[in-house]
């Protein structure tokens, strides 16, 4: 890599040094910038050719430079002869102006080191093209090295040289004297131009019809640069020291032979013995046959043989050579016509340009780009000729690369894009551009498309010509994929819509709808739904073609994978628009069927999508309902657990208070107050346990609710508990307790017995030694079928001794004379019962909870026994508690309910009169029991 860079650096340095040494100090450099060394030309290829530009106008030129170092080996007078010969040739070329002669842009300038002048841009000399690379840079350009002449280039080039000689011989009365490949220059466009007038001979009598041209004798002692090239020199120059116009024609024949023979001349001349060489050459020319000219094309072979004839008068003149059939080739004639185009009028030009598209495919691309394209673009300045020239330019653009198009063609098309006058020509230009729009959008850079090409399309859509609008609408879909989306959305689509709505032509309206339908795939879905579909409802006409175009757009949008129409749009806008259109009277059966098919397809899609949505919503609602039920059940369970701990204590106290109130309403006020004080004083251990239970209840309340499971909860099955066994056990225990009880007085005092605490509530004993509650019972007590009455004696003692908190267990003393339990009757109303004062139970009510509504024994007796008993039964599913929990041993009401038989307390004589006291209602007692055990 480094070696390559060094090589490149050395090459650039050498080239720069050559240019600097060759041109430095020459006055040409004041006006022109000298570039790269590209070719060589002139006599002996002594002139180096550089490309250059004019500083003031940036015009491209060729700079010819003769470096005086080439003649350092010669003596001074020889140097002067060489310099004079070179100057003479350039000065003569500068004075002559003809299309077939090299055009001089700047005259010869001399400096100490070089001679230099400037000409039109040059590609190379014919000698360079034919393989003679003398005086070229070491790194020969591939353009020259690989250059091959096409037949049309060769034919037309030789024709151009013939035309140049004809000009010299006929108009200037001059003999060139040195027509060689070195003095034929190919300019930038590929045209062949003559230079090298170093040895030209003018006529001595130009006014006469027969010019005479003086000739100098060949001097072999002169430097080679002071002598013409003998290999292309006519024999009469050397042998008879004469020259005429025919001598140039011999040189032309020799050049033609070299062109078709890879640059080799017909004879090689020994410059040391030139006379002998020419004598031998003369002999060969006299016997020249067709076999020696096999490399020359057959159609020109005879003419070359004539040009090489020994006798000058036999040779064809230049004017005759321009008319030979060999130069009648279509390509050569076409190129010749372009060279004379400036002489033609508009009618002739238009006819020629119309036929040119048939000729262009037969010509090589290089010839078209170099020779024809510049001539065509030069006609763009003539507005009337643009419609005839433009198709040919665009045809050439198709064969060019994108780089060539941008460099050579696009700059020339800029003014044409904007041309609007004359109107007829402008309309023709629009049509031509629209037909080649894909080419323009493919090869034109995006900036130029936006600035030049698309404005022309917009102008075509707004043109008054219906033909232009139709053509524009027809071809827009062919290049829609090449248009950027913002330009299509904001500029193209609005103009298509305006053309559809504002035109009076049915064809334009239909083509607008067809165009929109074809470019839907390049648009955004929401732009179509929000802009295109609402536009369809604005179209006023109801012609069948228009209606089918509307249907086509709806169908394309509906069925396209990228677009589609939402069910809301279908239901709200599309179907309400399509259904009325489907019954238009102008539609035939086939068109109506098309409408109905699309409508049915839309309805089917609408039904399917909405049904699917509703089914999904139904499934979601069912799932949500299941989640809500599970959440509610779990929440209720958590709430019950959380509140049960904190409410159990209050419920137990309330229930116990109600039980005590119902069984001890005959207690006096003093004993009630004393019991209240004893109940209110809790020990430290009880308070700690109560606090712990409250904390536990608070934790349950604050616990996060459990997330519901996705399943349907199974409701618990409530089972009824059979309490028969429990009742029997309680009754038997009460019966056994009355066997050994001593005889009591009429006060029926209860003896203290060990108490059993309520196992599920409290275990800490409470001191009740001083608690004496008395309840007096009348000896005459009896039962009614529907209830019972309990006379109360305030002097009776119900509770004595110690007991635990909760319901106190009592043993009931039964007299030996207690009869079996039997139905009791209510005493007659005429029997007067002694009035006794009821016991104040407010203390117990304050102790155990809020006062509950009371009911009298008479009211209680209205209930059936079974109903009354059922009120105290535990709820279904609740655990069966012990006798203490059920209140059968320490509760008066419990004894009345479950332990009547064998108990002296329930002597029939004691139920003679209904008690004046009141008891808690059966519903309240039942609720209390349910709260306690539930």
């Amino acid at each position: 890599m480094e070696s390559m860079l060094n090589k490149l650096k050395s090459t650039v340095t050498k080239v720069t040094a050559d240019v600097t040494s060759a041109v430095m100090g020459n006055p040409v450099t004041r006006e022109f910038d000298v570039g790269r060394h590209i070719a060589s030309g002139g006599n002996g290829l002594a002139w180096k050719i550089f490309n250059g530009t004019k500083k003031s106008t940036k015009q491209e030129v060729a700079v010819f430079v003769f470096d005086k170092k080439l003649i350092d080996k010669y003596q001074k007078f020889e140097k002067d002869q060489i310099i004079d010969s070179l100057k003479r040739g350039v000065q003569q070329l500068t004075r002559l102006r003809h299309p077939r002669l090299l055009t001089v842009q700047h005259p010869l300038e001399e400096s100490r080191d070089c001679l230099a002048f400037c000409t039109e841009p040059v590609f190379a000399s014919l000698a360079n093209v034919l393989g003679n690379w003398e005086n070229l840079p070491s790194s020969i350009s591939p353009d020259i090295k690989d250059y091959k002449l096409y037949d049309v280039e060769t034919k037309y080039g030789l024709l151009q040289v013939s035309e140049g000689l004809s000009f010299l011989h006929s108009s200037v009365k001059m003999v060139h004297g040195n027509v060689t490949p070195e003095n034929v220059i190919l300019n930038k466009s590929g045209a062949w131009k003559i230079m090298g007038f170093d040895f030209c001979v003018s006529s001595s009598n130009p006014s006469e019809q027969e010019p005479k041209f003086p000739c100098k004798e060949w001097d072999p002692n002169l430097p080679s640069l002071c002598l013409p090239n003998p290999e292309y020199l006519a024999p009469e120059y050397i042998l008879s020291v004469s020259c005429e116009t025919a001598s140039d024609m011999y040189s032309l024949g020799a050049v033609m032979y070299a062109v078709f023979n890879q640059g080799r001349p017909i004879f090689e001349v020994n410059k040391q013995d030139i006379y002998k060489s020419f004598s031998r050459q003369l002999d060969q020319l006299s016997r020249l046959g067709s076999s020696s000219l096999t490399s020359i094309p057959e159609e020109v072979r005879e003419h070359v043989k004539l040009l090489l004839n020994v006798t000058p008068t036999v040779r064809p003149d230049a004017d005759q050579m321009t008319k030979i059939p060999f130069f009648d080739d279509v390509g050569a004639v076409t190129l010749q016509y372009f060279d004379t185009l400036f002489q033609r009028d508009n009618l002739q030009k238009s006819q020629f340009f119309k036929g040119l598209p048939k000729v262009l495919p037969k010509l090589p691309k290089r010839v078209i780009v170099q020779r024809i394209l510049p001539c065509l673009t030069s006609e763009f300045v003539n507005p009337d000729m643009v419609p005839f020239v433009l198709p040919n330019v665009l045809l050439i653009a198709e064969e060019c690369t994108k780089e060539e198009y941008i460099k050579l063609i696009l700059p020339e098309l800029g003014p044409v894009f904007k041309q609007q006058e004359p109107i007829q020509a402008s309309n023709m230009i629009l049509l031509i551009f629209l037909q080649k729009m894909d080419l323009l959008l493919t090869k034109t850079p995006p900036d130029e498309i936006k600035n030049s090409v698309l404005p022309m399309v917009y102008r075509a859509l707004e043109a008054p010509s219906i033909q232009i609008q139709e053509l524009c609408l027809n071809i827009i879909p062919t290049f829609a994929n090449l248009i950027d989306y913002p330009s299509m959305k904001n500029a193209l689509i609005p103009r298509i819509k305006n053309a559809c709505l504002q035109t009076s032509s049915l064809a334009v309206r239909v083509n607008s709808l067809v165009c929109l339908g074809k470019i839907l795939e390049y648009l955004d879905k929401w732009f179509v739904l929000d802009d295109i579909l609402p536009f369809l409802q604005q179209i006023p006409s109801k012609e069948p073609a228009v209606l089918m175009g509307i249907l086509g757009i709806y169908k394309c949008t509906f069925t396209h994978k990228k677009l589609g129409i939402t069910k809301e749009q279908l239901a709200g806008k599309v179907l309400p628009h399509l259904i009325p259109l489907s019954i238009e009277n102008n539609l035939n059966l086939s068109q109506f069927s098309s409408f109905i098919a699309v409508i049915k397809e839309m309805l089917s899609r609408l039904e399917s999508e909405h049904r699917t949505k509703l089914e999904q919503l139904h499934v979601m609602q069912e799932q949500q309902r299941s989640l809500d039920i599970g959440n509610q059940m779990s929440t209720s369970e958590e709430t019950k657990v959380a509140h049960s701990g904190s409410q159990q204590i209050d419920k137990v106290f309330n229930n116990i208070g109600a039980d005590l109130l119902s069984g001890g309403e005959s207690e006096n006020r003093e004993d009630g107050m004393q019991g209240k004080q004893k109940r209110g004083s809790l020990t430290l251990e009880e308070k700690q346990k109560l606090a712990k239970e409250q904390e536990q209840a608070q934790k349950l309340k604050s616990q996060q609710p459990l997330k519901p499971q996705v399943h349907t909860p199974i409701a618990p099955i409530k089972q009824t508990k059979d309490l028969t066994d429990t009742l029997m056990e309680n009754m038997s225990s009460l019966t056994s307790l009355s066997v050994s009880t001593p005889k009591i007085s009429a006060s029926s005092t209860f003896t203290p017995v060990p108490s059993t605490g309520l196992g599920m509530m409290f275990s800490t004993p409470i001191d009740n030694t001083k608690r004496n509650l008395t309840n007096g019972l009348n000896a005459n007590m009896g039962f009614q079928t529907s209830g019972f009455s309990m006379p109360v004696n305030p002097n009776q003692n119900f509770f004595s001794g110690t007991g635990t908190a909760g319901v106190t267990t009592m043993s009931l003393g039964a007299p030996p004379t207690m009869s079996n339990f039997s139905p009791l009757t209510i005493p007659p109303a005429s029997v007067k019962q002694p009035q006794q004062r009821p016991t104040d139970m407010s203390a117990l009510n304050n102790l155990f909870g809020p006062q509950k509504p009371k009911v009298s024994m008479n009211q209680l007796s209205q209930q059936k026994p079974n109903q009354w008993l059922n009120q105290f039964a535990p709820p279904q599913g609740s655990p069966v508690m012990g006798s203490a929990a059920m209140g059968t041993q320490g509760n008066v009401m419990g004894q009345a309910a479950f332990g009547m038989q064998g108990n002296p307390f329930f002597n029939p004589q004691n139920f003679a009169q209904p008690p004046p006291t009141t008891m808690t209602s059966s519903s309240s007692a039942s609720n209390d029991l349910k709260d306690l055990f539930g």
Side-chain angles (χ1 to χ4, degrees):
M1 183 67 182
E2 186 177 355
S3 60
M4 292 179 64
L5 291 175
N6 292 334
K7 184 177 180 181
L8 178 62
K9 181 179 178 181
S10 62
T11 303
V12 173
T13 304
K14 183 178 179 181
V15 171
T16 305
D18 292 342
V19 173
T20 303
S21 61
V23 190
M24 183 174 291
N26 194 286
V28 170
T29 58
R30 298 173 188 170
E31 299 184 26
F32 298 90
D33 292 323
V34 180
R36 184 170 56 92
H37 183 192
I38 56 174
S40 60
N43 189 27
L45 297 177
W47 292 92
K48 292 180 179 180
I49 305 174
F50 297 85
N51 57 14
T53 54
K54 191 171 184 178
K55 293 181 179 180
S56 59
T57 62
K58 302 300 179 182
Q59 181 183 2
E60 189 177 1
V61 297
V63 181
F64 283 73
V65 177
F66 176 77
D67 191 353
K68 293 182 178 180
K69 291 182 180 179
L70 293 176
I71 57 176
D72 285 344
K73 60 183 179 180
Y74 295 105
Q75 297 181 3
K76 186 177 184 305
F77 76 94
E78 294 176 328
K79 292 180 182 179
D80 293 340
Q81 289 178 328
I82 295 172
I83 295 299
D84 291 341
S85 176
L86 294 174
K87 285 182 178 182
R88 181 172 178 268
V90 176
Q91 290 170 355
Q92 189 65 45
L93 178 64
T94 305
R95 284 194 294 267
L96 298 173
R97 293 286 179 175
H98 190 266
R100 304 301 179 236
L101 303 181
L102 187 65
T103 303
V104 178
Q105 301 280 3
H106 189 82
L108 181 69
E109 298 282 359
E110 182 178 7
S111 65
R112 185 183 63 180
D113 297 325
C114 68
L115 300 173
F117 67 98
C118 296
T119 67
E120 60 183 298
V122 166
F123 171 68
S125 64
L126 180 60
N128 295 151
V129 171
L130 294 176
N132 187 351
W133 300 333
E134 185 179 348
N135 207 16
L136 284 177
S138 57
S139 57
I140 301 174
S141 172
D143 296 337
I144 295 177
K145 195 172 183 179
D146 301 333
Y147 194 89
K148 302 296 181 184
L149 289 170
Y150 294 105
D151 289 342
V152 64
E153 292 178 302
T154 302
K155 290 179 181 180
Y156 188 59
L158 294 173
L159 176 61
Q160 288 175 309
V161 174
S162 300
E163 291 175 349
L165 292 176
S166 176
F167 165 72
L168 292 176
H169 297 165
S170 302
S171 301
V172 185
K173 309 293 184 180
M174 178 185 289
V175 174
H176 185 276
N178 193 22
V179 179
T180 63
E182 292 89 347
N183 288 324
V184 176
I185 301 297
L186 278 66
N187 70 0
K188 199 76 172 179
S189 299
W192 292 19
K193 303 292 186 81
I194 299 174
M195 67 165 291
F197 289 86
D198 303 356
F199 309 105
C200 63
V201 180
S202 297
S203 173
S204 56
N205 53 347
S207 58
E208 299 181 4
Q209 293 183 352
E210 294 293 332
K212 294 182 179 180
F213 301 97
C215 182
K216 294 182 180 180
E217 187 178 356
W218 181 268
D219 186 357
N221 296 322
L222 291 175
S224 59
L225 292 178
C226 293
L227 296 171
N229 189 345
E231 293 175 345
Y232 296 91
L233 200 60
E236 58 268 22
Y237 266 103
I238 305 298
L239 300 178
S240 61
V241 192
S242 63
C243 66
E244 50 186 309
T245 56
S247 300
D248 284 342
M249 300 311 296
Y250 177 90
S251 300
L252 176 62
V255 169
M256 294 177 68
Y257 181 91
V259 168
F260 290 111
N261 201 33
Q262 300 178 355
R264 294 188 296 270
I266 187 171
F267 297 114
E268 293 185 0
V269 177
N270 184 3
K271 297 180 181 180
Q272 301 298 328
D273 191 1
I274 192 158
Y275 293 104
K276 186 177 180 179
S277 296
F278 266 88
S279 298
R280 192 183 316 111
Q281 176 181 336
L282 190 62
D283 236 11
Q284 294 175 354
L285 288 175
S286 59
R287 298 193 302 271
L288 186 64
S290 299
S291 59
S292 302
L293 306 175
T294 53
S295 59
I296 299 175
E298 186 175 357
E299 59 267 29
V300 76
R301 190 176 297 167
E302 290 298 323
H303 298 91
V304 172
K305 185 177 180 181
L306 290 175
L307 291 173
L308 295 177
N309 197 285
V310 176
T311 307
T313 56
V314 177
R315 302 167 191 162
D317 59 25
D319 189 56
Q320 291 172 337
M321 281 299 298
T322 59
K323 299 175 182 179
I324 63 175
F326 179 70
F327 297 133
D328 287 341
D329 180 78
V330 174
V333 172
T334 300
L335 295 177
Q336 185 180 20
Y337 195 94
F338 271 111
D339 288 338
T340 60
L341 199 60
F342 63 94
Q343 303 174 4
R344 316 288 178 174
D345 58 21
N346 286 346
L347 181 60
Q348 292 174 325
K349 290 179 182 179
S350 62
Q351 294 297 327
F352 172 72
F353 291 140
K354 286 180 180 179
L356 185 60
K358 299 178 181 179
V359 179
L360 290 177
K362 301 177 182 179
L363 298 177
K365 177 183 175 181
R366 185 176 68 204
V367 175
I368 294 174
V369 173
Q370 290 183 352
R371 298 297 312 277
I372 297 179
L373 183 60
C375 297
L376 290 174
T377 55
S378 64
E379 289 294 321
F380 282 154
V381 297
N382 186 355
D384 295 328
M385 286 293 101
V386 173
F388 302 99
V389 176
L390 187 58
N392 297 293
V393 174
L394 296 179
L395 185 62
I396 295 173
E398 292 179 352
E399 302 298 327
C400 293
T401 63
K402 187 173 182 179
E403 291 74 16
E404 291 172 340
Y405 169 82
I406 295 174
K407 181 180 179 181
L408 302 175
I409 299 178
L410 184 58
E412 307 295 336
L413 292 178
V416 183
F417 286 138
K418 303 174 183 178
Q419 181 174 335
Q420 300 184 26
E421 295 293 338
I423 296 177
Q424 185 176 3
S426 176
N427 292 338
M428 291 293 296
I429 292 171
L430 286 176
L431 289 173
I432 295 169
F433 274 131
L434 291 174
Q435 292 170 349
K436 297 291 183 180
M437 188 57 61
D438 54 343
L439 166 69
L440 297 177
L441 296 177
T442 302
K443 295 188 176 182
T444 306
D447 293 341
E448 286 297 324
I449 290 176
K450 189 173 182 179
N451 297 331
S452 301
V453 179
L454 290 181
M456 181 189 61
V457 176
Y458 306 151
R459 196 168 69 250
L461 287 173
E462 297 170 349
S465 173
I466 294 177
Q467 182 184 4
I468 294 177
Q469 285 184 330
E470 286 186 42
L471 178 60
C472 185
L473 292 170
N474 287 331
I475 67 171
I476 283 175
T478 62
F479 60 84
N481 60 321
L482 303 176
I483 303 177
D484 62 298
Y485 184 73
S487 298
M488 180 179 291
K489 176 180 177 181
N490 300 323
L492 184 62
I493 297 296
R495 285 176 170 84
I496 295 176
K497 291 163 59 178
N498 289 336
C500 181
L501 295 175
Q502 297 174 3
T503 185
S504 59
S505 170
L506 177 62
V508 172
R509 184 165 292 156
V510 173
N511 284 326
S512 299
L513 295 174
V514 173
C515 179
L516 285 176
K518 290 181 178 179
I519 64 177
L520 284 177
E521 58 181 326
Y522 306 111
L523 300 177
D524 181 70
K525 173 180 179 179
W526 300 112
F527 177 73
V528 174
L529 295 180
D530 297 339
D531 196 88
I532 301 298
L533 298 188
F535 152 74
L536 299 178
Q537 302 179 15
Q538 304 172 11
I539 300 176
S541 59
K542 303 297 182 183
E543 291 82 359
V546 176
L547 297 182
M548 294 307 295
I550 294 173
L551 179 65
I553 293 178
Y554 276 129
K555 185 175 181 180
C556 290
T557 307
F558 178 70
T559 58
H560 198 279
K561 294 181 179 179
K562 188 183 80 169
L563 300 176
I565 305 178
T566 63
K567 61 185 180 65
E568 291 78 12
Q569 290 269 358
L570 283 176
K573 296 181 180 179
V574 177
L575 289 173
H577 183 219
L578 277 180
I579 292 174
L581 294 182
S582 65
I583 59 174
E584 285 290 331
N585 296 329
N586 296 330
L587 296 178
N588 57 29
L589 178 60
S590 175
Q591 295 166 345
F592 172 74
S593 301
S594 300
F595 265 89
I596 293 302
V598 175
I599 291 172
K600 286 182 178 179
E601 187 177 357
M602 290 181 175
L603 286 172
S604 176
R605 176 83 62 85
L606 177 64
E607 177 187 3
S608 174
E609 290 184 2
H610 198 62
R611 184 180 298 276
T612 302
K613 176 183 177 182
L614 293 179
E615 289 174 352
Q616 293 175 352
L617 287 175
H618 178 71
V619 172
M620 293 173 62
Q621 289 173 355
E622 289 297 324
Q623 293 177 352
Q624 185 64 34
R625 188 178 295 111
S626 300
L627 293 177
D628 292 342
I629 293 173
N631 191 20
Q632 289 176 1
M633 294 188 64
S634 63
T635 304
S636 63
E637 291 175 1
E638 292 170 2
T639 305
K640 181 184 292 185
V641 173
H643 289 285
S644 62
S646 62
Q647 291 179 350
Q648 281 177 358
I649 299 172
D650 295 336
K651 289 179 180 179
V652 170
F653 278 112
N654 292 338
N655 292 332
I656 295 174
D659 294 340
L660 291 176
L661 285 173
S662 64
E665 290 182 358
S666 61
E667 293 178 342
N668 56 30
R669 185 179 302 273
E670 291 81 5
D671 292 340
M673 294 298 295
Q674 185 179 5
K676 179 180 177 182
Q677 293 173 358
K678 294 299 181 180
R679 285 286 182 181
S681 59
L682 298 177
T683 63
L684 179 61
E685 290 79 1
E686 289 176 337
K687 293 180 179 179
Q688 290 175 346
K689 188 167 184 179
L690 183 59
K692 289 181 180 180
E693 290 177 353
Q694 291 176 347
E695 291 177 358
Q696 182 66 21
Q698 189 66 28
K699 288 182 180 178
L700 291 174
K701 288 181 180 179
S702 62
Q703 184 176 357
Q704 294 291 334
L706 297 177
K707 294 184 178 179
Q709 302 273 332
V710 185
H711 67 278
T712 304
I714 301 174
I717 301 175
K718 296 184 179 181
Q719 296 180 355
T720 304
K721 184 88 174 181
D722 188 4
L723 299 178
T724 305
D725 295 337
T726 305
L727 292 174
M728 294 300 294
E729 289 176 2
N730 291 336
M731 293 177 66
S732 61
S733 62
L734 289 174
T735 305
S736 62
L737 288 174
S738 64
V739 174
S740 58
T741 305
K743 200 171 188 178
I744 60 175
S745 61
S747 63
S748 300
T749 307
F750 290 94
T751 58
V753 293
S755 62
T756 309
L758 188 60
M760 70 179 218
M761 296 301 298
F762 301 101
S763 61
T764 305
I766 300 176
D767 186 8
N768 284 334
T769 55
K770 296 181 180 181
R771 179 177 176 180
N772 295 318
L773 300 176
T774 60
N775 186 12
L777 295 178
N778 194 336
N780 299 322
M781 181 174 67
F783 268 111
Q784 292 180 356
T785 305
S786 60
F788 65 91
S789 300
M790 293 180 65
V792 180
N793 187 356
N795 295 325
Q796 277 189 320
N797 185 7
F798 269 53
F799 301 97
S800 63
T802 59
T804 58
V807 181
T808 305
T809 304
M810 297 178 291
S811 70
L812 302 177
T817 60
M818 181 72 181
S819 61
N820 292 335
F821 179 79
S822 60
L824 302 178
T825 60
I826 301 174
S830 60
V831 181
K832 293 186 179 180
Q833 299 297 331
Q835 299 294 330
Q836 298 186 13
R837 181 183 178 185
T839 306
D840 187 3
M841 303 298 291
S842 61
L844 285 177
N845 291 336
N846 294 333
L847 175 63
F848 292 109
Q851 189 166 352
K852 299 182 181 288
K854 309 247 178 117
V855 64
S856 65
M857 292 299 293
N858 290 330
Q859 294 172 342
L860 185 63
S861 66
Q862 299 300 319
Q863 297 181 357
K864 294 182 180 180
N866 293 337
Q867 294 177 347
W868 184 82
L869 291 175
N870 289 336
Q871 292 178 358
F872 298 94
Q876 294 181 2
S878 62
V880 179
M881 307 302 295
S883 60
M886 293 296 293
T888 58
Q889 295 182 6
N891 193 322
V892 176
M893 296 303 297
Q895 292 173 1
F898 307 114
M900 297 177 187
Q901 188 172 1
N903 193 331
F905 179 79
F906 296 104
N907 194 320
Q909 289 92 13
N910 295 332
F911 292 88
Q913 293 179 356
T917 57
T918 60
M919 298 182 62
T920 57
S921 66
S922 62
S923 60
S924 177
S926 176
N927 291 334
D928 291 340
L929 285 176
K930 288 181 180 180
D931 292 339
L932 176 63
F933 299 112

